[in-house]
Amino acid sequence: GGFFRQWLKDIKAVISHKVFCTACMGYVAYTGSIGVLVNAGPTAGRALFPNDFNGAFSVDTVFGLITIVTGVVGTAGGGVALDRLVPSMFGAMAMSAVCVAVATILFIITFQMRSLGWFIFLFLLAELALFAVSGVINAGYMWSVPRELRPLACAIVTVAIHLLGDVPSPPLAGLLVDRLKETHDEAAAWVITMTVCFGGIGVAALFWGIAAVFSRTEVDYGQKNVAERLSIDGDALLLNTHMEEDDESPIHGE
């Protein structure tokens, strides 16, 4: 009973932070859209370019290679950019909002292309912007709660993004495209479906933008922890300096 009450108390403490809640809702929309993109993206590409993907360069191979490259480069680049530019809760939320807003626009334009070259080029740029926030948003919501609540915060986010995000989104996208095929040709049905999917990324941008606004007045626990560590290290250095001075001072009476 005591453990359960403490667990509920900790959950209440985590969700009392406005930045965390809005960041989590944005993460749900972001993950749901990625779930559709990963599962349905190649099928949509095949419908748009039925005669262009063949041989070694199948649509699955092209989409897979682009995702691997942009996933590695985008995630690493986003983390480095955050560390170098604005390593703070506000910086993480603002950067995430801007990156996924850019990704949304690029994805929508990409699926309007009828040139395979332009489609692949814009798709690569869109995924690069999309994956640039992978590490950044995780740092952001971690900095929005006290250190002792971070494991629970991670658990809440993990359950939420899968339960409400990439688990239900692919079946819902499949249902939508099946309905659209009744009144549209296959290519048009997929364009509409993927546009709706990318709207979810836009929703993530909206929530993370709101989180950035909230972060201007909320406590940045990442910065607070850094300040505390610097204070402790400074006190330890000062103490060691005094001890060394005492050791070096002449003994009275000699």
Side-chain angles (χ1 to χ4, degrees), residues 147-195:
R147 182 185 300 173
E148 64 272 13
L149 294 176
R150 288 175 187 172
L152 180 59
C154 288
I156 292 173
V157 168
T158 301
V159 172
I161 63 175
H162 294 307
L163 184 64
L164 304 175
D166 57 4
V167 170
S169 60
L172 291 174
L175 179 63
L176 176 60
V177 76
D178 286 343
R179 292 293 180 87
L180 289 171
K181 285 179 182 178
E182 297 175 1
T183 55
H184 299 73
D185 61 65
E186 185 175 7
W190 275 111
V191 168
I192 296 172
T193 300
M194 297 309 291
T195 301

Side-chain angles (χ1 to χ4, degrees), residues 26-196:
Y27 210 166
V28 167
Y30 172 85
T31 308
S33 298
I34 289 181
V36 175
L37 186 62
V38 169
N39 285 277
T43 305
R46 193 178 295 112
L48 293 174
F49 302 96
N51 302 317
D52 294 308
F53 290 105
N54 50 58
F57 295 98
S58 68
V59 64
D60 299 282
T61 301
V62 172
F63 272 60
L65 287 174
I66 291 175
T67 300
I68 291 171
V69 172
T70 56
V72 173
V73 175
T75 301
V80 171
L82 179 66
D83 286 340
R84 295 289 179 86
L85 299 176
V86 277
S88 63
M89 182 172 67
F90 169 76
M93 295 303 162
M95 181 177 169
S96 297
V98 171
C99 284
V100 293
V102 171
T104 301
I105 295 170
L106 288 174
F107 273 126
I108 292 174
I109 296 173
T110 297
F111 278 81
Q112 300 299 320
M113 293 292 105
R114 293 300 175 263
S115 164
L116 181 60
W118 277 108
F119 180 90
I120 292 175
F121 175 69
L122 291 172
F123 187 77
L124 188 149
L125 293 181
E127 285 215 328
L128 200 59
L130 185 71
F131 290 124
V133 307
S134 298
V136 173
I137 190 58
N138 283 283
Y141 79 73
M142 290 272 283
W143 290 336
S144 71
V145 297
R147 182 185 300 173
E148 64 272 13
L149 294 176
R150 288 175 187 172
L152 180 59
C154 288
I156 292 173
V157 168
T158 301
V159 172
I161 63 175
H162 294 307
L163 184 64
L164 304 175
D166 57 4
V167 170
S169 60
L172 291 174
L175 179 63
L176 176 60
V177 76
D178 286 343
R179 292 293 180 87
L180 289 171
K181 285 179 182 178
E182 297 175 1
T183 55
H184 299 73
D185 61 65
E186 185 175 7
W190 275 111
V191 168
I192 296 172
T193 300
M194 297 309 291
T195 301
V196 172

